[in-house]
Amino acid sequence: MIVFVFLVAIACALLVTPAVVRVVTSRGVYGHVRAGTDPDAPRVPRLGGVAVCLATTAALAAATVIPGGMHPEGTPPDAFLLGVLLAGWIIFGAGLLDDLYDLRPTTKLLAQCLAAVVAYGVGFRIEEVSFGGVSLQVGVLSLALTLLWIVAVVNAFNLIDGLDGLATGIGLVALGSTFVVAWMLGNTEVAIVCAALGGALLGFLRYNFRPARIFLGDSGSQFVGFMVAVLSVHGSTKSATAVLAAVPLLVLALPLLDTLLSILRRWLRGKPVFGADEHHLHHRLMAVGLTHVRAVVLLYVLAAALAVLGVVLAFGPPATVTATALGGAAVTIALLLFAIKRLGYHEFVEAGAVVTSGMRRVRQSIRDQIHARDVAQVLARAESLVHLQAILQDNAGALGLLYATVCRESSAEGSRSQLPAEVAARAWKLDWPVEMDSTDPCILRLWADAPDDLGMLTADRTARVLAAAVRDWMAGPPAKPRAHTDPHTAPHGVATPSGASAAA
């Protein structure tokens, strides 16, 4: 039966695809032009989803009507498969309208959610996730997780459909791996649907590989993405509800990774996450010198390697699973980091540099605030205003400041001319009042060299801490004599002036 369905799907695709090409080109129905498309390039119709959807449906219909087919002994057709196929047609119809009229992103998203809800209603539900022998019940999150999975995979296939034959080949790899897993777990009906859709894609690839005579379009990529999303999970169901999570995640790792990178890139650039650009993995591979065909074949190989890894993790012995998971994760991270730099994803390079630098600056800012608290404790024991000024000046550098003192607002003390010449031009002054009941109040005067917002915020917080300490000192009782209190005693790392004294 599997061989029969596979051959029927191939034959239908080989017959229907050129017919669709002839009809749409004769009528000039090519579909809307995508952003970034070369206006001088030959027009290629984007309605390949019609051929793939028809070939898949015809193969499954043939399997249900012949004696001894998918439902032997007169049993009725599986409501789940019929419901999934109905949902697939819903998403195909929305994609076809998008190919012809360019629907708004929100409209496409609603159609995808509707198809996901239909699939959920007929029994496709992610209720228990299993990995490495550990199972997790998702409970009330089942509907949300199911919708998220379907919508994510559908859009992943839509985004990766950027080179001739790429999405079609990735779909074949995913279906092949899903077929193997479903067959090993006894999910025969899923294996038959995989054979039907796989045969349709293989026949379609004859006209979709470079130079392509027809593209999948949104109708095809979304239909394939939806069916693969459902089949990869349903075919990996080991018991009534437990899904082997490694299989669908790794089978579809490449398109999902490309989608995640696209969302992050656009967010970092401040562009709409659903917009189009020319920075997907396949575009970057061609930008670094790979030919069209080589880029596609390389992505085929990567997708196949990840799919094989998923099968090994699902069925291998525990020791093999652990070693494979750790080794695969290390290799994947290394390749990802190398690819980000080699393929020119400057967004992530700059983001990494900013995060690393920001962590260092934040740590330094925390250190400055801790030191400011320590200095505030020493200021409380100052024996005179001169002593207090000396403590501030001795600790200015440790606090990340250029200069610090206490003076009258009208005073020329702490002017820009007293700063080092190399920083005087860019330094900025912060005067913080510590005495309000005077026409010429006493202020805490700080100079800082803060090149960014974090540095300015740190200096401002430092000023608040020191100003509060100075204000308390001025409002408090006179300090005890030096014989009873040593003003040089300070927390570790806080400088106290050796030359300051109560007499001074």
Side-chain angles (χ1 to χ4, degrees):
M1 176 54 58
I2 290 175
V3 174
F4 170 76
V5 168
F6 185 67
L7 294 177
V8 169
I10 291 177
C12 289
L14 290 173
L15 292 174
V16 174
T17 305
V20 172
V21 174
R22 288 194 298 269
V23 170
V24 298
T25 53
S26 64
R27 297 177 179 272
V29 183
Y30 293 93
H32 73 88
V33 180
R34 283 187 173 183
T37 303
D38 184 0
D40 298 326
R43 295 293 301 275
V44 178
R46 301 184 59 247
L47 302 174
V50 175
V52 173
C53 192
L54 288 177
T56 303
T57 305
L60 292 176
T64 59
V65 298
I66 66 172
M70 291 180 66
H71 309 283
E73 300 179 1
T75 58
D78 192 316
F80 168 76
L81 293 177
L82 289 178
V84 168
L85 193 59
L86 171 63
W89 271 90
I90 291 174
I91 207 165
F92 161 76
L96 184 61
L97 291 175
D98 185 41
D99 286 329
L100 296 175
Y101 304 110
D102 192 15
L103 300 179
R104 298 176 60 183
T106 52
T107 304
K108 293 189 289 186
L109 182 61
L110 287 175
Q112 294 166 8
C113 291
L114 175 61
V117 169
V118 172
Y120 185 87
V122 299
F124 175 70
R125 301 175 182 181
I126 303 177
E127 298 176 334
E128 184 179 351
V129 178
S130 175
F131 186 86
V134 179
S135 296
L136 175 65
Q137 296 282 348
V138 299
V140 295
L141 299 177
S142 175
L143 176 59
L145 184 59
T146 302
L147 265 66
L148 177 63
W149 171 254
I150 290 178
V151 171
V153 176
V154 167
N155 285 284
F157 266 87
N158 193 25
L159 291 175
I160 207 171
D161 185 24
L163 296 181
D164 297 359
L166 180 56
T168 305
I170 298 296
L172 280 169
V173 171
L175 289 168
S177 305
T178 302
F179 171 84
V180 172
V181 174
W183 183 262
M184 295 177 68
L185 293 176
N187 298 326
T188 309
E189 290 186 343
V190 173
I192 292 177
V193 179
C194 287
L197 182 56
L201 289 178
L202 187 59
F204 177 76
L205 188 61
R206 162 69 178 79
Y207 304 95
N208 184 232
F209 203 74
R210 187 170 181 83
R213 293 175 56 188
I214 187 171
F215 296 142
L216 273 175
D218 286 347
S219 60
S221 62
Q222 293 193 49
F223 175 77
V224 173
F226 174 82
M227 295 299 290
V228 169
V230 174
L231 294 172
S232 62
V233 170
H234 199 63
S236 306
T237 304
K238 192 173 183 179
S239 61
T241 56
V243 176
L244 299 176
V247 177
L249 287 176
L250 288 172
V251 162
L252 298 168
L254 188 62
L256 290 174
L257 176 62
D258 183 59
T259 301
L260 179 61
L261 291 177
S262 298
I263 292 174
L264 291 176
R265 283 190 296 99
R266 292 165 186 171
W267 179 76
L268 290 172
R269 286 179 174 268
K271 294 184 177 180
V273 296
F274 293 108
D277 58 32
E278 298 293 325
H279 296 280
H280 292 281
L281 287 173
H282 45 277
H283 295 132
R284 301 312 306 164
L285 288 173
M286 294 181 63
V288 297
L290 268 67
T291 64
H292 190 118
V293 173
R294 288 182 178 178
V296 170
V297 172
L298 176 60
L299 292 175
Y300 285 174
V301 173
L302 289 176
L306 291 169
V308 170
L309 179 63
V311 176
V312 171
L313 291 178
F315 297 104
T320 304
V321 169
T322 303
T324 304
L326 294 176
V331 172
T332 301
I333 293 174
L335 287 175
L336 183 61
L337 294 176
F338 172 78
I340 285 176
K341 185 175 182 179
R342 183 70 177 85
L343 297 181
Y345 283 123
H346 308 302
E347 302 93 341
F348 301 110
V349 175
E350 293 302 322
V354 169
V355 169
T356 303
S357 176
M359 291 176 64
R360 290 197 300 265
R361 293 201 305 271
V362 167
R363 186 181 182 188
Q364 183 60 49
S365 176
I366 294 173
R367 289 178 177 177
D368 291 345
Q369 296 308 301
I370 294 173
H371 197 76
R373 299 286 180 181
D374 293 341
V375 173
Q377 294 179 0
V378 178
L379 290 176
R381 299 194 296 270
E383 299 178 351
S384 67
L385 180 61
V386 174
H387 188 196
L388 185 142
Q389 292 172 328
I391 294 173
L392 288 173
Q393 292 170 9
D394 285 354
N395 287 279
L399 293 170
L401 304 172
L402 299 175
Y403 188 87
T405 190
V406 175
C407 61
R408 292 293 175 182
E409 187 175 33
S410 60
S411 172
E413 185 176 357
S415 64
R416 189 180 298 272
S417 60
Q418 295 178 256
L419 302 179
E422 61 273 14
V423 296
R426 64 173 184 268
W428 57 277
K429 182 175 65 173
L430 177 61
D431 285 350
W432 198 278
V434 293
E435 182 187 39
M436 302 302 296
D437 55 350
S438 173
T439 56
D440 189 15
C442 192
I443 61 170
L444 171 69
R445 176 164 292 171
L446 305 178
W447 283 89
D449 179 20
D452 53 25
D453 292 342
L454 180 60
M456 296 178 69
L457 177 62
T458 300
D460 181 74
R461 290 179 59 84
T462 299
R464 290 173 183 269
V465 173
L466 298 180
V470 172
R471 191 179 299 114
D472 292 342
W473 179 85
M474 296 180 66
K480 295 181 179 180
R482 179 182 295 273
H484 298 90
T485 303
D486 183 5
H488 302 298
T489 303
H492 179 69
V494 178
T496 56
S498 59
S501 65

